[in-house]
Coordinates of all heavy atoms in Angstrom, one line a residue:
M1 N 81.0 -27.1 5.9 CA 80.7 -28.2 6.7 C 80.4 -29.5 5.9 O 80.8 -30.5 6.3 CB 79.4 -27.9 7.6 CG 79.1 -28.8 8.6 SD 80.4 -28.9 9.9 CE 79.7 -30.0 10.9
K2 N 79.8 -29.3 4.8 CA 79.5 -30.4 3.8 C 80.8 -31.0 3.3 O 80.9 -32.3 3.1 CB 78.6 -30.0 2.7 CG 77.2 -29.7 3.2 CD 76.3 -29.4 2.0 CE 74.9 -29.2 2.5 NZ 74.0 -29.0 1.4
L3 N 81.7 -30.2 3.0 CA 83.0 -30.7 2.5 C 83.8 -31.5 3.5 O 84.3 -32.6 3.2 CB 83.9 -29.5 2.0 CG 85.2 -29.9 1.4 CD1 85.1 -30.7 0.1 CD2 86.1 -28.6 1.1
K4 N 83.7 -31.1 4.8 CA 84.3 -31.8 5.9 C 83.7 -33.2 6.0 O 84.4 -34.2 6.1 CB 84.2 -31.0 7.2 CG 84.9 -31.6 8.3 CD 84.8 -30.8 9.6 CE 85.5 -31.4 10.7 NZ 85.3 -30.7 12.0
G5 N 82.3 -33.2 6.0 CA 81.7 -34.5 6.0 C 82.0 -35.4 4.9 O 82.1 -36.7 5.1
L6 N 82.1 -34.8 3.7 CA 82.5 -35.7 2.5 C 83.8 -36.3 2.6 O 84.1 -37.5 2.3 CB 82.3 -34.8 1.2 CG 82.6 -35.5 -0.1 CD1 81.6 -36.7 -0.3 CD2 82.5 -34.5 -1.2
L7 N 84.7 -35.4 3.1 CA 86.1 -35.9 3.3 C 86.2 -37.0 4.3 O 87.0 -38.0 4.2 CB 87.1 -34.8 3.6 CG 87.3 -33.7 2.5 CD1 88.1 -32.6 3.0 CD2 88.1 -34.4 1.3
S8 N 85.4 -36.8 5.5 CA 85.4 -37.9 6.5 C 84.8 -39.1 5.9 O 85.4 -40.3 6.2 CB 84.5 -37.4 7.7 OG 85.1 -36.2 8.2
L9 N 83.8 -39.1 5.1 CA 83.2 -40.3 4.5 C 84.1 -41.0 3.6 O 84.3 -42.2 3.6 CB 81.9 -39.9 3.8 CG 81.2 -41.1 3.1 CD1 80.7 -42.0 4.1 CD2 80.1 -40.5 2.2
I10 N 84.9 -40.2 2.8 CA 85.9 -40.8 1.9 C 87.0 -41.5 2.7 O 87.5 -42.6 2.3 CB 86.4 -39.7 1.0 CG1 85.3 -39.2 0.0 CG2 87.7 -40.2 0.2 CD1 85.7 -38.1 -0.9
A11 N 87.5 -40.8 3.8 CA 88.5 -41.4 4.5 C 88.0 -42.7 5.2 O 88.8 -43.7 5.2 CB 89.0 -40.4 5.7
V12 N 86.8 -42.7 5.8 CA 86.3 -44.0 6.4 C 86.2 -45.1 5.3 O 86.5 -46.3 5.5 CB 85.0 -43.7 7.1 CG1 84.3 -45.0 7.5 CG2 85.2 -42.8 8.3
L13 N 85.7 -44.8 4.1 CA 85.5 -45.8 3.1 C 86.9 -46.2 2.6 O 87.1 -47.5 2.4 CB 84.8 -45.1 1.9 CG 83.3 -44.9 2.2 CD1 82.6 -44.2 0.9 CD2 82.6 -46.2 2.4
A14 N 87.9 -45.4 2.5 CA 89.2 -45.8 2.2 C 89.8 -46.7 3.2 O 90.4 -47.8 2.9 CB 90.1 -44.6 2.0
L15 N 89.6 -46.5 4.5 CA 90.1 -47.4 5.6 C 89.4 -48.7 5.5 O 90.0 -49.7 5.7 CB 89.9 -46.7 6.9 CG 90.8 -45.6 7.3 CD1 90.4 -44.9 8.6 CD2 92.2 -46.2 7.4
L16 N 88.0 -48.7 5.2 CA 87.3 -49.9 5.1 C 87.8 -50.8 3.9 O 87.9 -52.0 4.0 CB 85.8 -49.7 5.0 CG 85.1 -49.2 6.3 CD1 83.7 -48.9 6.1 CD2 85.3 -50.3 7.4
I17 N 88.1 -50.2 2.8 CA 88.6 -50.9 1.6 C 90.0 -51.4 1.9 O 90.2 -52.7 1.6 CB 88.6 -49.9 0.4 CG1 87.2 -49.6 0.0 CG2 89.5 -50.6 -0.7 CD1 87.1 -48.6 -1.1
V18 N 90.8 -50.7 2.5 CA 92.1 -51.2 2.9 C 92.0 -52.4 3.9 O 92.7 -53.4 3.7 CB 93.1 -50.1 3.5 CG1 94.4 -50.7 4.1 CG2 93.4 -49.1 2.4
G19 N 91.1 -52.2 4.9 CA 90.9 -53.4 5.8 C 90.4 -54.5 5.1 O 90.7 -55.7 5.5
G20 N 89.5 -54.3 4.1 CA 89.0 -55.5 3.3 C 90.1 -56.2 2.6 O 90.1 -57.4 2.5
F21 N 91.0 -55.4 2.0 CA 92.1 -56.1 1.2 C 93.1 -56.9 2.2 O 93.4 -58.0 1.9 CB 92.9 -55.0 0.5 CG 92.2 -54.5 -0.7 CD1 92.2 -53.2 -1.1 CD2 91.6 -55.3 -1.6 CE1 91.6 -52.7 -2.2 CE2 90.9 -54.9 -2.7 CZ 91.0 -53.6 -3.0
I22 N 93.3 -56.3 3.3 CA 94.2 -56.9 4.3 C 93.5 -58.2 4.8 O 94.1 -59.2 5.0 CB 94.6 -55.9 5.4 CG1 95.5 -54.9 4.8 CG2 95.3 -56.7 6.5 CD1 95.8 -53.8 5.8
G23 N 92.2 -58.0 5.2 CA 91.4 -59.2 5.7 C 91.3 -60.3 4.7 O 91.2 -61.5 5.1
S24 N 91.2 -60.0 3.4 CA 91.1 -61.0 2.4 C 92.3 -61.8 2.3 O 92.2 -63.0 1.8 CB 90.7 -60.4 1.1 OG 91.7 -59.6 0.5
Q25 N 93.4 -61.3 2.6 CA 94.6 -62.0 2.6 C 94.9 -63.0 3.7 O 95.7 -63.9 3.7 CB 95.9 -61.1 2.5 CG 95.8 -60.2 1.2 CD 95.8 -61.0 0.0 OE1 96.6 -61.9 -0.2 NE2 95.1 -60.6 -1.0
N26 N 94.1 -62.8 4.8 CA 94.3 -63.6 6.0 C 93.3 -64.7 5.9 O 92.1 -64.5 6.1 CB 94.0 -62.7 7.3 CG 94.4 -63.4 8.5 OD1 94.7 -64.6 8.5 ND2 94.4 -62.7 9.7
T27 N 93.7 -65.9 5.7 CA 92.7 -67.0 5.5 C 92.8 -68.0 6.7 O 92.2 -69.1 6.5 CB 93.1 -67.8 4.2 OG1 94.5 -68.3 4.3 CG2 92.9 -66.9 3.0
H28 N 93.4 -67.7 7.7 CA 93.5 -68.6 9.0 C 92.2 -68.7 9.6 O 91.4 -67.7 9.7 CB 94.6 -68.1 9.9 CG 96.0 -68.1 9.4 ND1 96.6 -69.2 9.1 CD2 96.8 -67.1 9.0 CE1 97.8 -68.9 8.7 NE2 97.9 -67.6 8.6
S29 N 91.9 -69.9 10.1 CA 90.6 -70.1 10.8 C 90.8 -70.2 12.3 O 91.9 -70.8 12.7 CB 89.9 -71.4 10.3 OG 89.5 -71.2 8.9
V30 N 89.8 -69.8 13.0 CA 89.9 -70.0 14.5 C 88.6 -70.6 15.0 O 87.5 -70.4 14.4 CB 90.2 -68.6 15.2 CG1 91.5 -68.1 14.9 CG2 89.1 -67.6 14.9
M31 N 88.7 -71.2 16.1 CA 87.5 -71.8 16.7 C 86.9 -70.8 17.7 O 87.6 -70.3 18.6 CB 87.8 -73.1 17.5 CG 86.6 -73.9 18.1 SD 85.5 -74.5 16.9 CE 86.4 -75.7 16.0
V32 N 85.6 -70.5 17.6 CA 85.0 -69.5 18.4 C 83.9 -70.2 19.2 O 83.1 -70.9 18.7 CB 84.2 -68.5 17.5 CG1 83.6 -67.4 18.5 CG2 85.2 -67.7 16.6
N33 N 84.1 -70.1 20.5 CA 83.1 -70.7 21.5 C 82.2 -69.8 22.0 O 82.5 -68.8 22.6 CB 83.9 -71.3 22.7 CG 84.8 -72.5 22.3 OD1 84.4 -73.4 21.5 ND2 86.0 -72.5 22.8
Y34 N 80.9 -70.0 21.6 CA 79.8 -69.2 22.1 C 79.3 -69.7 23.4 O 79.8 -70.7 24.0 CB 78.6 -69.1 21.1 CG 79.0 -68.7 19.7 CD1 79.1 -69.6 18.7 CD2 79.3 -67.4 19.5 CE1 79.4 -69.3 17.4 CE2 79.6 -67.0 18.2 CZ 79.6 -67.9 17.2 OH 80.1 -67.6 15.9
L35 N 78.3 -69.1 24.0 CA 77.8 -69.7 25.2 C 77.1 -71.1 25.0 O 77.3 -72.0 25.9 CB 76.7 -68.8 25.9 CG 77.3 -67.5 26.4 CD1 76.1 -66.6 26.8 CD2 78.2 -67.7 27.5
I36 N 76.4 -71.3 23.8 CA 75.7 -72.6 23.6 C 76.2 -73.3 22.4 O 75.8 -74.3 22.2 CB 74.2 -72.3 23.6 CG1 74.0 -71.3 22.4 CG2 73.7 -71.9 24.9 CD1 72.5 -71.2 22.1
A37 N 77.2 -72.8 21.7 CA 77.6 -73.4 20.5 C 79.1 -73.0 20.2 O 79.6 -72.1 20.9 CB 76.7 -73.0 19.3
Q38 N 79.6 -73.6 19.2 CA 80.9 -73.2 18.7 C 81.0 -73.3 17.2 O 80.2 -74.1 16.6 CB 82.0 -74.1 19.3 CG 81.9 -75.5 19.0 CD 83.1 -76.3 19.7 OE1 83.8 -75.8 20.6 NE2 83.3 -77.5 19.2
S39 N 81.8 -72.5 16.6 CA 82.0 -72.6 15.2 C 83.4 -72.2 14.8 O 84.1 -71.6 15.5 CB 81.0 -71.7 14.4 OG 81.2 -70.3 14.8
E40 N 83.8 -72.5 13.5 CA 85.1 -72.2 13.0 C 84.9 -71.1 12.0 O 84.2 -71.2 11.0 CB 85.7 -73.4 12.4 CG 87.2 -73.2 12.1 CD 87.9 -74.5 11.8 OE1 87.5 -75.5 12.3 OE2 88.7 -74.4 10.9
L41 N 85.6 -69.9 12.2 CA 85.5 -68.8 11.3 C 86.8 -68.3 10.9 O 87.9 -68.5 11.7 CB 84.8 -67.6 12.1 CG 83.4 -67.8 12.5 CD1 82.9 -66.6 13.4 CD2 82.4 -67.9 11.3
R42 N 86.9 -67.6 9.8 CA 88.1 -67.0 9.4 C 88.4 -65.9 10.3 O 87.4 -65.1 10.7 CB 88.1 -66.5 7.9 CG 88.1 -67.7 6.9 CD 88.2 -67.3 5.5 NE 87.9 -65.8 5.3 CZ 87.7 -65.3 4.1 NH1 87.7 -66.1 3.1 NH2 87.4 -64.0 4.0
V43 N 89.7 -65.5 10.6 CA 90.0 -64.4 11.4 C 89.4 -63.0 10.9 O 88.9 -62.3 11.7 CB 91.5 -64.3 11.6 CG1 91.9 -63.1 12.4 CG2 92.1 -65.5 12.2
S44 N 89.5 -62.9 9.6 CA 89.0 -61.6 9.0 C 87.5 -61.5 9.2 O 87.0 -60.4 9.5 CB 89.4 -61.5 7.5 OG 88.9 -62.6 6.9
L45 N 86.8 -62.5 9.0 CA 85.3 -62.5 9.2 C 85.0 -62.3 10.7 O 84.0 -61.5 11.0 CB 84.7 -63.9 8.8 CG 83.1 -64.0 8.9 CD1 82.5 -62.9 8.0 CD2 82.8 -65.3 8.5
L46 N 85.7 -62.9 11.6 CA 85.5 -62.7 13.0 C 85.8 -61.2 13.3 O 85.0 -60.6 14.2 CB 86.3 -63.7 13.8 CG 86.2 -63.5 15.4 CD1 84.8 -63.9 15.8 CD2 87.3 -64.4 16.0
M47 N 86.9 -60.7 12.9 CA 87.1 -59.2 13.2 C 86.0 -58.3 12.6 O 85.6 -57.4 13.3 CB 88.5 -58.9 12.6 CG 89.6 -59.6 13.3 SD 91.2 -59.3 12.7 CE 91.3 -57.5 12.7
L48 N 85.5 -58.7 11.5 CA 84.5 -57.8 10.9 C 83.2 -57.9 11.7 O 82.5 -56.9 12.0 CB 84.1 -58.3 9.4 CG 82.9 -57.6 8.7 CD1 83.3 -56.2 8.5 CD2 82.6 -58.4 7.5
I49 N 82.8 -59.1 12.2 CA 81.6 -59.3 13.0 C 81.8 -58.5 14.3 O 80.8 -57.8 14.7 CB 81.4 -60.7 13.3 CG1 80.9 -61.4 12.0 CG2 80.4 -60.9 14.4 CD1 80.9 -62.9 12.1
V50 N 83.0 -58.6 14.9 CA 83.2 -57.9 16.2 C 83.1 -56.4 16.0 O 82.6 -55.6 16.8 CB 84.5 -58.3 16.9 CG1 84.8 -57.4 18.0 CG2 84.4 -59.8 17.3
F51 N 83.8 -55.9 14.9 CA 83.8 -54.5 14.6 C 82.3 -53.9 14.4 O 82.0 -52.9 14.9 CB 84.6 -54.3 13.4 CG 84.6 -52.8 12.9 CD1 85.3 -51.8 13.5 CD2 83.9 -52.5 11.8 CE1 85.3 -50.5 13.1 CE2 83.9 -51.1 11.3 CZ 84.6 -50.2 12.1
L52 N 81.6 -54.7 13.6 CA 80.2 -54.2 13.3 C 79.3 -54.3 14.6 O 78.5 -53.4 14.8 CB 79.6 -55.1 12.2 CG 80.1 -54.9 10.9 CD1 79.4 -55.9 9.8 CD2 79.9 -53.5 10.3
C53 N 79.5 -55.3 15.4 CA 78.8 -55.3 16.7 C 79.2 -54.0 17.6 O 78.4 -53.4 18.2 CB 79.2 -56.5 17.5 SG 78.4 -58.0 16.8
G54 N 80.5 -53.7 17.5 CA 80.9 -52.4 18.3 C 80.3 -51.2 17.7 O 79.9 -50.2 18.4
V55 N 80.2 -51.2 16.4 CA 79.5 -49.9 15.7 C 78.1 -49.9 16.1 O 77.6 -48.8 16.4 CB 79.7 -50.0 14.2 CG1 78.8 -49.0 13.5 CG2 81.2 -49.9 13.8
F56 N 77.4 -51.0 16.1 CA 75.9 -51.0 16.4 C 75.8 -50.6 17.9 O 74.8 -49.8 18.2 CB 75.3 -52.3 16.1 CG 75.1 -52.5 14.5 CD1 75.5 -53.8 14.1 CD2 74.6 -51.6 13.8 CE1 75.4 -54.0 12.7 CE2 74.5 -51.7 12.4 CZ 74.9 -53.0 11.9
V57 N 76.6 -51.2 18.8 CA 76.4 -50.8 20.2 C 76.7 -49.3 20.4 O 76.0 -48.6 21.2 CB 77.4 -51.6 21.1 CG1 77.5 -51.1 22.5 CG2 76.9 -53.0 21.1
S58 N 77.8 -48.7 19.7 CA 78.1 -47.4 19.8 C 77.0 -46.5 19.3 O 76.6 -45.5 19.9 CB 79.3 -47.0 19.0 OG 80.4 -47.8 19.6
I59 N 76.4 -46.9 18.2 CA 75.2 -46.1 17.6 C 74.1 -46.1 18.6 O 73.4 -45.2 18.8 CB 74.8 -46.7 16.3 CG1 75.9 -46.4 15.2 CG2 73.4 -46.1 15.8 CD1 75.6 -47.0 13.8
I60 N 73.7 -47.2 19.1 CA 72.6 -47.3 20.2 C 72.9 -46.4 21.3 O 72.1 -45.6 21.8 CB 72.3 -48.8 20.6 CG1 71.7 -49.5 19.3 CG2 71.4 -48.9 21.8 CD1 71.7 -51.0 19.6
M61 N 74.1 -46.5 21.9 CA 74.5 -45.8 23.1 C 74.4 -44.2 22.7 O 73.9 -43.4 23.5 CB 75.8 -46.1 23.6 CG 76.0 -47.5 24.0 SD 75.4 -47.8 25.7 CE 76.5 -47.0 26.6
F62 N 75.0 -43.8 21.6 CA 74.9 -42.5 21.2 C 73.5 -41.9 21.0 O 73.2 -40.8 21.4 CB 75.8 -42.2 19.9 CG 75.9 -40.8 19.5 CD1 76.6 -39.9 20.2 CD2 75.2 -40.3 18.4 CE1 76.7 -38.6 19.9 CE2 75.2 -39.1 18.0 CZ 75.9 -38.1 18.7
S63 N 72.6 -42.8 20.3 CA 71.3 -42.4 20.1 C 70.5 -42.2 21.5 O 69.8 -41.2 21.6 CB 70.6 -43.5 19.3 OG 71.2 -43.5 18.0
L64 N 70.8 -43.1 22.4 CA 70.1 -42.9 23.7 C 70.6 -41.7 24.4 O 69.7 -41.0 25.0 CB 70.4 -44.2 24.6 CG 69.7 -45.5 24.1 CD1 70.2 -46.6 25.0 CD2 68.2 -45.3 24.2
Y65 N 71.9 -41.4 24.3 CA 72.4 -40.1 24.9 C 71.8 -38.9 24.3 O 71.3 -38.0 25.0 CB 73.9 -40.2 24.7 CG 74.5 -38.9 25.4 CD1 74.6 -38.8 26.7 CD2 75.0 -37.9 24.6 CE1 75.2 -37.7 27.3 CE2 75.7 -36.8 25.1 CZ 75.7 -36.7 26.5 OH 76.3 -35.5 27.1
V66 N 71.6 -38.9 23.0 CA 71.1 -37.7 22.3 C 69.6 -37.6 22.6 O 69.1 -36.5 22.8 CB 71.3 -37.8 20.8 CG1 70.5 -36.8 19.9 CG2 72.8 -37.7 20.4
L67 N 68.9 -38.7 22.6 CA 67.5 -38.7 23.0 C 67.2 -38.2 24.3 O 66.4 -37.4 24.6 CB 66.9 -40.1 22.9 CG 65.4 -40.3 23.0 CD1 64.8 -39.5 21.9 CD2 65.1 -41.8 22.9
R68 N 68.1 -38.6 25.3 CA 68.0 -38.0 26.7 C 68.2 -36.5 26.7 O 67.5 -35.8 27.4 CB 69.0 -38.7 27.6 CG 68.8 -38.4 29.1 CD 69.8 -39.1 29.9 NE 70.9 -38.2 30.2 CZ 72.1 -38.5 30.5 NH1 72.5 -39.7 30.5 NH2 73.0 -37.5 30.6
L69 N 69.2 -36.1 25.9 CA 69.5 -34.6 25.9 C 68.3 -33.8 25.2 O 68.0 -32.7 25.7 CB 70.8 -34.3 25.1 CG 72.1 -34.7 25.7 CD1 73.2 -34.4 24.9 CD2 72.2 -34.0 27.1
K70 N 67.7 -34.5 24.2 CA 66.5 -33.8 23.6 C 65.4 -33.7 24.5 O 64.7 -32.7 24.6 CB 66.2 -34.6 22.3 CG 67.1 -34.3 21.2 CD 66.6 -35.0 19.9 CE 67.6 -34.7 18.7 NZ 67.1 -35.1 17.5
W71 N 65.2 -34.8 25.3 CA 64.1 -34.7 26.3 C 64.4 -33.6 27.3 O 63.4 -32.9 27.8 CB 63.9 -36.1 27.0 CG 63.2 -37.1 26.2 CD1 62.3 -36.9 25.1 CD2 63.2 -38.5 26.4 NE1 61.8 -38.1 24.7 CE2 62.3 -39.0 25.4 CE3 63.9 -39.3 27.3 CZ2 62.2 -40.4 25.4 CZ3 63.6 -40.6 27.2 CH2 62.8 -41.2 26.3
R72 N 65.6 -33.5 27.7 CA 66.0 -32.5 28.7 C 65.7 -31.0 28.1 O 65.2 -30.2 28.8 CB 67.5 -32.7 29.1 CG 68.0 -31.6 30.1 CD 67.5 -31.9 31.4 NE 68.1 -31.1 32.3 CZ 67.5 -30.5 33.4 NH1 66.3 -31.0 33.8 NH2 68.1 -29.7 34.2
V73 N 66.1 -30.8 26.8 CA 65.8 -29.5 26.2 C 64.3 -29.2 26.1 O 63.9 -28.1 26.4 CB 66.4 -29.5 24.7 CG1 65.9 -28.3 24.0 CG2 67.9 -29.5 24.8
V74 N 63.5 -30.2 25.8 CA 62.1 -30.0 25.7 C 61.5 -29.6 27.1 O 60.7 -28.8 27.4 CB 61.3 -31.2 25.2 CG1 59.8 -31.2 25.4 CG2 61.7 -31.4 23.7
S75 N 62.0 -30.3 28.2 CA 61.6 -30.1 29.5 C 61.9 -28.7 30.0 O 61.2 -27.9 30.6 CB 62.2 -31.1 30.5 OG 62.0 -30.7 31.8
L76 N 63.2 -28.3 29.6 CA 63.7 -26.9 29.9 C 62.9 -25.9 29.2 O 62.6 -24.7 29.8 CB 65.1 -26.8 29.8 CG 66.0 -27.6 30.8 CD1 67.5 -27.5 30.3 CD2 65.9 -27.1 32.2
E77 N 62.6 -26.1 28.0 CA 61.8 -25.2 27.2 C 60.4 -25.0 27.8 O 59.8 -23.9 27.8 CB 61.7 -25.6 25.7 CG 62.9 -25.4 25.0 CD 62.9 -25.8 23.6 OE1 61.9 -26.6 23.2 OE2 63.7 -25.5 22.8
R78 N 59.8 -26.1 28.3 CA 58.4 -26.0 28.9 C 58.6 -25.2 30.2 O 57.7 -24.4 30.5 CB 57.9 -27.4 29.3 CG 57.2 -28.0 28.1 CD 56.4 -29.3 28.6 NE 56.7 -30.4 27.8 CZ 57.2 -31.5 28.1 NH1 57.3 -31.9 29.3 NH2 57.4 -32.5 27.2
Q79 N 59.6 -25.4 31.0 CA 59.8 -24.7 32.2 C 60.0 -23.2 31.9 O 59.5 -22.3 32.6 CB 61.0 -25.2 33.0 CG 60.8 -26.6 33.7 CD 62.0 -27.0 34.4 OE1 63.0 -26.3 34.5 NE2 61.9 -28.2 34.9
L80 N 60.7 -22.8 30.9 CA 60.9 -21.5 30.5 C 59.7 -20.8 30.0 O 59.4 -19.7 30.4 CB 61.9 -21.4 29.3 CG 62.4 -20.0 28.9 CD1 63.0 -19.2 30.0 CD2 63.3 -20.1 27.7
K81 N 58.8 -21.5 29.2 CA 57.5 -20.9 28.8 C 56.6 -20.7 30.0 O 56.0 -19.7 30.1 CB 56.8 -21.9 27.8 CG 57.5 -21.8 26.4 CD 56.7 -22.8 25.5 CE 57.4 -22.8 24.2 NZ 56.7 -23.8 23.2
K82 N 56.6 -21.7 31.0 CA 55.8 -21.6 32.1 C 56.2 -20.4 33.0 O 55.4 -19.6 33.5 CB 55.9 -22.8 32.9 CG 54.9 -23.0 34.0 CD 55.0 -24.4 34.7 CE 54.0 -24.7 35.6 NZ 54.1 -26.0 36.3
S83 N 57.6 -20.2 33.2 CA 58.0 -19.1 33.9 C 57.8 -17.7 33.3 O 57.5 -16.8 33.9 CB 59.5 -19.2 34.3 OG 60.3 -19.1 33.1
N84 N 57.9 -17.7 32.0 CA 57.5 -16.5 31.2 C 56.0 -16.1 31.3 O 55.7 -14.9 31.4 CB 57.9 -16.6 29.8 CG 59.4 -16.5 29.5 OD1 60.2 -16.0 30.3 ND2 59.9 -17.0 28.4
R85 N 55.2 -17.1 31.3 CA 53.8 -16.8 31.5 C 53.5 -16.3 32.9 O 52.6 -15.4 33.1 CB 52.9 -18.1 31.3 CG 52.6 -18.4 29.8 CD 51.7 -19.5 29.7 NE 52.4 -20.6 29.2 CZ 52.2 -21.8 29.5 NH1 51.2 -22.2 30.3 NH2 52.9 -22.8 29.0
V86 N 54.1 -16.8 34.0 CA 54.0 -16.4 35.3 C 54.5 -15.0 35.5 O 53.8 -14.1 36.2 CB 54.7 -17.3 36.3 CG1 54.7 -16.8 37.7 CG2 54.0 -18.7 36.3
E87 N 55.6 -14.6 34.9 CA 56.2 -13.3 35.0 C 55.3 -12.3 34.3 O 55.2 -11.1 34.7 CB 57.6 -13.3 34.5 CG 58.6 -13.9 35.3 CD 60.0 -14.0 34.8 OE1 60.2 -13.4 33.7 OE2 60.9 -14.6 35.3
S88 N 54.8 -12.6 33.1 CA 54.0 -11.6 32.4 C 52.6 -11.4 33.0 O 52.0 -10.4 32.6 CB 53.9 -12.1 30.9 OG 53.2 -13.3 30.8
A89 N 52.1 -12.3 33.8 CA 50.8 -12.2 34.4 C 50.8 -11.3 35.6 O 51.5 -10.6 36.0 CB 50.2 -13.6 34.8

């Protein structure tokens, strides 16, 4: 299992490095309009910002899902202990 994780990490890092090289070659600028402001950013920087925002949102959503599942497991374990006490009495 550790070897699989290490290979996955190496693959992700390789993809990020290749993406960095490709992004560094793209020097075009675009105008980005926010709700209250606007700015001019390089396309590669804009893509990096959007990608990182997606990663953070995904991590938050996954963490909330896992937390909900852990709460459910704790609740079911309490119910199981309670039913075992009732049956043994």
Side-chain angles (χ1 to χ4, degrees):
M1 188 69 176
K2 290 185 179 186
L3 182 62
K4 183 178 177 182
L6 181 64
L7 289 175
S8 298
L9 179 65
I10 290 171
V12 168
L13 288 176
L15 285 174
L16 288 175
I17 290 171
V18 169
F21 285 138
I22 292 172
S24 68
Q25 299 300 318
N26 191 352
T27 59
H28 297 291
S29 294
V30 292
M31 184 65 65
V32 180
N33 292 320
Y34 306 105
L35 292 175
I36 57 174
Q38 65 181 8
S39 64
E40 190 167 325
L41 297 172
R42 290 189 343 196
V43 173
S44 57
L45 180 62
L46 180 63
M47 289 175 61
L48 176 67
I49 291 169
V50 171
F51 176 76
L52 290 177
C53 287
V55 167
F56 289 132
V57 168
S58 298
I59 288 171
I60 290 169
M61 298 282 287
F62 182 73
S63 297
L64 291 173
Y65 180 72
V66 169
L67 189 61
R68 192 180 93 206
L69 288 177
K70 285 185 178 185
W71 281 341
R72 180 77 176 143
V73 167
V74 168
S75 172
L76 290 173
E77 285 175 348
R78 272 193 233 131
Q79 288 179 2
L80 182 62
K81 286 180 184 178
K82 192 175 188 180
S83 67
N84 284 341
R85 276 189 254 144
V86 170
E87 287 177 4
S88 63

